[in-house]
Amino acid sequence: MNIQKIALIVLTTISFQSVFPQKDGYWDKTRATTEEITVSARDRIIIKTQDFPEGTTEVVYRITLLDKNQQMAGSLVSVLKAIQDPTGISQGSAGAVFILSKISGDDKCKYAVFSSADLAVKYKENGKTDDACLVQDTPVSKDAKRLSTEKSACMQSNSGNLWFGFESKNWIMNQKIILEVVPWVDNKLSRGWTLENRKQIIDQCKTSNMAQKMTNSDDFCVCILDKIQSKYKFKEFQNLLAIERSKAFKDFGNSCFGETSFSKGVYDDLRKQASLLVKQGEQGGAIMKLTTIINDGKATALDYNAIGNSYILTKQYGKAIKFLKEGEKLDDSELLIKLNLAHAYLLNDNYASAKAIYKEYQSQNVTDSLSWIQKVKQDFETFKKVGIQNDDFERVLKLIEK
């Protein structure tokens, strides 16, 4: 093959890589397998690869049969330097041709690949390839393939090694076979974060108090997972003390909660849930939702008004007064708070304090379309429907209608 053809093959391979998404990883040259094997005439032999590093998602192998005095022109590892992404190998014929040895002998052999030592030993004994994950049954003088976890049974079920079995088709002379296997290591998976391990963290996040406040906690839990993966390898995280893992979850959770829109979304959801519970007459449930917002320091004046209203409807007037006064501190101009505070004083047998408020704002509107007097009448009717009666209701109405 002349220089122009080799250059064309390299350029074609690189062009394929530019079209397809690039994988984030590296060829692990230190764990590459390079074996020069002599196979006796009419014999079978098994070769075990080097241990694949954690995070291996695919391998490229090359098999070359050489005549007695031939030497390899270049190792597979050196060839792969020009192909930074394993997908560039299998996209079209150029990549496949590029990794084949430029030379080979006239001898040929059959081979099979096994995912366990037991299956390989059986093959050596009986020559049967039924249990092989890959079989090359037509004798070849050279071959090269890419095996990935996405498409190859060899990689999907392997335990960190592969076993290559060779059968010589030379009935007279020994054969010299060069086997080269180079693993591709996914950077993220090399840290031990397999699909199952990531799912374990997500499941743990879903049970956290913070996640349970959310209608949909998927994005929040993925945020925590990303932060844990960035800081720890999986084994490092597992080796932390339980109290250290708990703190890591809490710290990363607070970080995710604060740096994104999760916070606003969570509290908006809690407000919607509280409003729906009020409409359904579930005041206790609404109080729990609103208490969460208040305890987290995210309450607005209207949140305090809402919880005060729910406490009034459940006849907890002292608590209503307490929270409504807190709401006043946030917005002293909010007349809905003023009105509920007047109701709470009235129902808590403090007519004097209630009267002062009712009288002060009687000429104003609580909203753009609802007057103070109309709202008082509506509220008194609501109180009666839930069984709250007070002899001063009529007295108040006469007061504000003068």
Side-chain angles (χ1 to χ4, degrees):
M1 186 178 293
N2 60 37
I3 294 176
Q4 289 180 327
K5 287 184 179 180
I6 293 174
L8 177 62
I9 289 170
V10 173
L11 288 173
T12 305
T13 301
I14 294 172
S15 69
F16 273 115
Q17 287 179 264
S18 65
V19 172
F20 292 89
Q22 299 292 293
K23 295 196 175 185
D24 184 18
Y26 60 95
W27 297 110
D28 193 327
K29 300 161 189 174
T30 60
R31 317 286 182 94
T33 299
T34 303
E35 293 281 350
E36 183 175 313
I37 313 147
T38 299
V39 185
S40 302
R42 294 175 291 178
D43 197 6
R44 285 188 294 273
I45 192 169
I46 299 169
I47 299 298
K48 177 184 176 183
T49 65
Q50 297 279 353
D51 294 341
F52 298 147
E54 191 166 18
T56 298
T57 58
E58 39 209 308
V59 299
V60 170
Y61 70 85
R62 182 169 72 176
I63 295 167
T64 311
L65 275 75
L66 301 177
D67 288 339
K68 183 176 181 181
N69 295 317
Q70 281 183 303
Q71 299 294 323
M72 290 295 294
S75 70
L76 179 59
V77 165
S78 64
V79 171
L80 290 176
K81 288 180 181 178
I83 308 175
Q84 296 303 315
D85 182 348
T87 55
I89 294 170
S90 57
Q91 306 296 345
S93 60
V97 171
F98 186 51
I99 65 171
L100 285 173
S101 174
K102 299 176 195 174
I103 60 170
S104 66
D106 294 327
D107 285 345
K108 296 182 178 181
C109 74
K110 294 181 179 181
Y111 71 88
V113 184
F114 300 88
S115 57
S116 76
D118 292 341
L119 298 178
V121 169
K122 290 180 182 178
Y123 161 79
K124 184 176 182 181
E125 293 172 352
N126 56 34
K128 293 182 179 180
T129 58
D130 298 345
D131 296 323
C133 56
L134 186 149
V135 177
Q136 177 57 50
D137 209 29
T138 301
V140 292
S141 62
K142 58 185 177 182
D143 202 3
K145 284 185 174 66
R146 166 184 170 238
L147 306 177
S148 71
T149 53
E150 298 170 354
K151 297 181 179 180
S152 172
C154 295
M155 296 301 294
Q156 290 167 359
S157 59
N158 93 89
S159 58
N161 301 90
L162 290 176
W163 287 259
F164 283 75
F166 295 94
E167 181 178 353
S168 172
K169 301 313 293 180
N170 191 326
W171 287 69
I172 301 174
M173 304 292 290
N174 293 344
Q175 290 181 322
K176 185 165 81 169
I177 301 173
I178 306 296
L179 169 66
E180 299 167 280
V181 184
V182 184
W184 172 269
V185 182
D186 181 284
N187 278 335
K188 184 174 286 188
L189 293 180
S190 70
R191 295 174 63 81
W193 290 106
T194 63
L195 179 63
E196 189 61 32
N197 292 340
R198 298 199 303 275
K199 185 177 182 298
Q200 178 181 326
I201 299 298
I202 293 291
D203 290 344
Q204 187 172 345
C205 169
K206 292 279 188 179
T207 64
S208 67
N209 291 333
M210 202 172 289
Q212 290 181 347
K213 295 177 184 177
M214 304 177 186
T215 303
N216 186 337
S217 60
D218 289 353
D219 290 346
F220 173 71
C221 288
V222 168
C223 176
I224 290 178
L225 173 63
D226 287 344
K227 289 183 179 297
I228 291 175
Q229 286 185 103
S230 296
K231 183 169 182 178
Y232 300 101
K233 291 184 177 181
F234 178 71
K235 287 183 179 178
E236 291 174 347
F237 187 71
Q238 289 299 95
N239 287 335
L240 294 177
L241 297 174
I243 191 171
E244 292 174 320
R245 287 198 300 273
S246 178
K247 185 178 185 301
F249 260 103
K250 182 178 179 180
D251 291 346
F252 290 137
N254 288 335
S255 176
C256 288
F257 201 66
E259 70 188 28
T260 67
S261 62
F262 294 129
S263 178
K264 184 179 183 302
V266 166
Y267 297 117
D268 285 347
D269 282 343
L270 287 172
R271 292 181 182 104
K272 290 176 184 177
Q273 293 169 33
S275 179
L276 180 60
L277 288 167
V278 167
K279 291 177 182 177
Q280 295 171 344
E282 299 289 336
Q283 304 297 335
I287 289 171
M288 289 179 62
K289 302 294 183 183
L290 294 166
T291 299
T292 297
I293 299 174
I294 291 169
N295 288 344
D296 287 354
K298 302 297 182 179
T300 64
L302 289 178
D303 292 326
Y304 281 103
N305 178 67
I307 197 170
N309 185 66
S310 289
Y311 276 126
I312 290 171
L313 293 173
T314 53
K315 302 181 181 180
Q316 301 181 75
Y317 308 124
K319 289 183 178 179
I321 292 170
K322 171 189 172 183
F323 284 101
L324 290 166
K325 284 186 173 180
E326 290 296 321
E328 266 190 322
K329 294 176 183 177
L330 293 179
D331 186 355
D332 191 50
S333 67
E334 179 53 66
L335 294 191
L336 288 173
I337 293 179
K338 300 289 188 183
L339 184 54
N340 269 324
L341 188 56
H343 294 333
Y345 282 138
L346 181 68
L347 296 170
N348 203 41
D349 297 327
N350 188 349
Y351 179 78
S353 295
K355 177 184 175 180
I357 299 173
Y358 284 130
K359 193 67 179 172
E360 182 177 354
Y361 302 103
Q362 68 184 48
S363 63
Q364 298 192 37
N365 280 6
V366 293
T367 70
D368 59 351
S369 59
L370 185 65
S371 73
W372 177 274
I373 294 173
Q374 289 173 322
K375 179 60 173 167
V376 171
K377 290 179 179 180
Q378 287 180 5
D379 289 351
F380 284 174
E381 288 301 316
T382 299
F383 295 157
K384 291 174 183 178
K385 287 178 182 178
V386 297
I388 298 176
Q389 299 287 344
N390 191 286
D391 295 337
D392 290 325
F393 285 169
E394 292 300 323
R395 188 179 175 189
V396 170
L397 291 175
K398 289 178 182 179
L399 173 71
I400 61 178
E401 286 179 334
K402 285 182 181 180

